[in-house]
Amino acid sequence: MTFNVLTTNAVELRELLEKNKITSVQVVENYLAQIDRYETALNALISPAPPEKVLEIAKCRDEERQKGHIRSPFHGIPIILKDSFVTASELGMSTTAGSYAFIGANALKNGAITQRLIDAGLIILGKANMTEFAGMKMTMMMPGWSAHGGQTLSPYIGKIDDNEKILGHSAPGGSSTGSAVAVAAGFSPLAMATETIGSIVTPSTRAGLYALKHTTGVQDTTGLYTMTEFFDSPGPMAKSAADVHVLSEILLGRQFTSPPFGAWEGLSVGFLDPKVWTMSADHCTQFEGTAEQMIEEYEETVSALRRRGCSLKSPIHCHDPSVLPNTILPIAYWDFKNLCIPEFIRSFHECSITSIADIVNFNRENSKKALPAPFTEQNDLEGAMNTTEEKGYIDELKHGLRKAARDILDDVFEKEHVNILAAPGDSSLCVHASAAGYPIATVPIGQLRYNSRPFGLCLVARADEEETLLRFMGEYEKAVKPRPVPKL
């Protein structure tokens, strides 16, 4: 049986499987065929799973289903993981964080989240390309580019414009670009991503997806490359709010049941002014009509939600991130050097890399492939390598930044009597969310007439309020037009 890989979501596939209208083997075959058709043009995958292995796993999931053993609601459903999620070498996929330096590293076991997904019966189709080290290599490196994986392209746009800015309208955006492109292009109904600051938000809105970065620190990140301990958190990307809801329950190990999913009751949203909360011109050039269209459709979305019964206020005021302490970079450098790279290296039982210095030296000695033009620098790797700050000082910076961000957001939540704060996806609200450690979600709005690039909303709630965001996402999907589908 065939189905439309560009539009069918995981919940719909689950229903087909439950009614015995399709098998997991057939589901996987459909996605593998789509990957074969379009992967060479989009470069979304850095390490596809060997087809024979995933088909064998799919066959096992089908056999379990026939015996009445259903591991989870997404039993037998495919998923793609960002190349930061460690997979055991026996699965036939590498884990490199986009770096040539980690090619050949072998892991005896899966990372904690990878194993949780496998235990839930999901089938890993491959590892998605990503910005190398999630951006901790070279300042202003194009999102979605890694030395090992090359440049991922948007399925809506294709080639990146010459001399494009880092978040320009043809840029796919964010370090989790491969994950977002894979879902939008019909390579998988689901993907896992990670975000430091904007790495889920930007690529998911530019791929017309529903996505959620969970509260920082709520998941076991053993066996997961993160740039920082302070900012980073993983989360799912999908074509529907229901998919994100189910996968979040699997990941967080809890059911979101009260108040009932599918009602506006208890939800109140404050919308920031889209004329104020925009993308910096340094990062994205606005062409004739682009900014105006995004503002117009943002405001139309607010009106549509109000008509459907959503309790909201628009516009409301929030201080922008310029008022936050300027401590993001020293925190990132320290965490990367002292926590994140050492933990990533410990995920492997065989790895020639033992430190950041090894990575820097490897890149210098293999500059032709590891530092190709135009990304010939590794200034951020070197900055992290050379940081000498003491842990106590960094802890003070973390405490100050987290408190400042939470004070700003909590003040808005309390004064405006809202439990969700919304802004354009092309805005800096993700900075506040990451600094506060709060969950942030995305939903699609539309496509630019300029070049068909999707755009959307980002939504922030307080810590551990994933259910609030998921409930809003579910109602939002009913109230607005369908997400944009690429014309491949």
Side-chain angles (χ1 to χ4, degrees):
M1 177 182 175
T2 60
F3 55 91
N4 190 334
V5 293
L6 291 174
T7 58
T8 305
N9 63 45
V11 167
E12 291 166 342
L13 286 174
R14 180 186 69 184
E15 292 172 357
L16 293 174
L17 288 165
E18 288 174 346
K19 293 176 181 177
N20 294 315
K21 291 184 177 180
I22 199 169
T23 66
S24 289
V25 168
Q26 291 170 324
V27 170
V28 167
E29 287 173 339
N30 276 267
Y31 287 113
L32 292 179
Q34 182 76 347
I35 291 169
D36 285 343
R37 281 190 290 266
Y38 295 109
E39 166 56 14
T40 54
L42 299 175
N43 213 32
L45 303 182
I46 199 168
S47 182
E52 65 279 5
K53 283 186 179 289
V54 290
L55 288 169
E56 182 59 33
I57 292 169
K59 182 181 177 182
C60 291
R61 298 294 86 82
D62 284 332
E63 291 172 351
E64 289 176 346
R65 182 178 295 278
Q66 290 166 8
K67 295 175 182 177
H69 175 42
I70 307 298
R71 299 181 180 212
S72 81
F74 281 168
H75 179 104
I77 301 290
I79 190 168
I80 283 173
L81 310 184
K82 186 176 180 178
D83 192 37
S84 48
F85 291 82
V86 174
T87 46
S89 298
E90 66 178 10
L91 295 179
M93 296 168 282
S94 61
T95 309
T96 68
S99 172
Y100 269 115
F102 282 91
I103 293 179
N106 290 306
L108 283 174
K109 63 180 184 178
N110 297 303
I113 293 173
T114 303
Q115 191 60 52
R116 177 180 283 270
L117 294 168
I118 291 172
D119 290 345
L122 284 95
I123 302 168
I124 302 170
L125 292 185
K127 309 291 280 296
N129 194 20
M130 58 182 283
T131 313
E132 191 167 343
F133 291 124
M136 185 58 82
K137 185 182 183 184
M138 171 186 165
T139 304
M140 303 303 282
M141 187 167 63
M142 181 58 70
W145 181 88
S146 66
H148 177 28
Q151 179 66 58
T152 299
L153 300 177
S154 166
Y156 297 86
I157 301 163
K159 182 181 180 293
I160 297 172
D161 293 342
D162 294 338
N163 302 314
E164 181 63 280
K165 293 184 178 179
I166 191 168
L167 293 175
H169 291 309
S170 67
S175 76
S176 301
T177 294
S179 296
V181 169
V183 174
F187 293 177
S188 171
L190 304 167
M192 284 298 298
T194 66
E195 171 159 330
T196 305
I197 302 174
S199 298
I200 288 177
V201 169
T202 308
S204 61
T205 54
R206 289 172 182 236
L209 300 179
Y210 292 83
L212 176 61
K213 175 190 182 184
H214 297 140
T215 302
T216 303
V218 299
Q219 294 185 72
D220 183 353
T221 57
T222 303
L224 172 67
Y225 166 77
T226 54
M227 184 199 292
T228 74
E229 178 186 63
F230 182 78
F231 297 107
D232 289 41
S233 185
M237 293 176 167
K239 295 183 179 72
S240 75
D243 286 3
V244 176
H245 181 101
V246 173
L247 192 51
S248 291
E249 289 184 330
I250 291 169
L251 291 165
L252 299 178
R254 63 180 192 259
Q255 298 292 306
F256 300 117
T257 56
S258 180
F261 185 68
W264 288 117
E265 184 180 356
L267 296 176
S268 52
V269 190
F271 284 84
L272 297 174
D273 190 340
K275 301 180 185 69
V276 175
W277 289 77
T278 59
M279 187 75 74
S280 164
D282 293 337
H283 292 160
C284 179
T285 300
Q286 296 296 348
F287 300 97
E288 183 177 358
T290 54
E292 292 81 359
Q293 182 191 350
M294 286 191 283
I295 291 170
E296 178 185 343
E297 295 196 29
Y298 179 93
E299 292 176 341
E300 288 175 355
T301 299
V302 173
S303 297
L305 294 175
R306 183 179 278 120
R307 288 193 301 270
R308 292 294 293 264
C310 178
S311 174
L312 61 86
K313 295 183 179 181
S314 177
I316 64 171
H317 172 73
C318 177
H319 293 293
D320 69 48
S322 67
V323 303
L324 292 172
N326 187 23
T327 54
I328 290 175
L329 198 57
I331 290 171
Y333 279 176
W334 193 92
D335 273 11
F336 183 81
K337 176 182 181 178
N338 295 286
L339 300 175
C340 298
I341 279 296
E343 289 182 11
F344 185 55
I345 291 169
R346 284 195 291 271
S347 299
F348 304 103
H349 74 279
E350 292 179 353
C351 184
S352 61
I353 299 297
T354 63
S355 64
I356 299 181
D358 284 353
I359 300 170
V360 170
N361 290 332
F362 176 92
N363 290 341
R364 288 173 181 164
E365 293 169 2
N366 300 274
S367 59
K368 187 173 181 180
K369 65 179 182 179
L371 298 169
F375 307 119
T376 58
E377 300 177 15
Q378 50 179 339
N379 60 301
D380 282 326
L381 278 174
E382 292 166 348
M385 178 179 70
N386 295 326
T387 189
T388 58
E389 305 291 1
E390 295 292 330
K391 181 180 183 299
Y393 173 68
I394 295 297
D395 286 344
E396 290 179 5
L397 296 186
K398 290 179 177 179
H399 175 76
L401 181 57
R402 182 131 294 165
K403 183 179 185 303
R406 291 193 171 190
D407 284 348
I408 289 169
L409 293 177
D410 290 350
D411 182 64
V412 177
F413 288 135
E414 291 164 11
K415 283 186 176 179
E416 299 293 345
H417 303 289
V418 297
N419 52 19
I420 295 174
L421 191 59
D426 281 12
S427 73
S428 56
L429 185 58
C430 60
V431 179
H432 277 327
S434 291
Y438 285 175
I440 186 166
T442 69
V443 294
I445 291 180
Q447 288 177 276
L448 290 178
R449 289 184 288 268
Y450 170 74
N451 67 350
S452 298
R453 193 269 277 185
F455 59 96
L457 293 177
C458 60
L459 310 146
V460 176
R462 284 187 167 107
D464 301 313
E465 287 293 326
E466 283 82 2
E467 182 176 3
T468 301
L469 294 173
L470 289 165
R471 289 183 57 231
F472 174 85
M473 292 163 74
E475 284 302 303
Y476 176 92
E477 190 172 15
K478 299 174 189 175
V480 300
K481 60 189 177 185
R483 60 171 295 273
V485 177
K487 298 177 181 178
L488 295 175

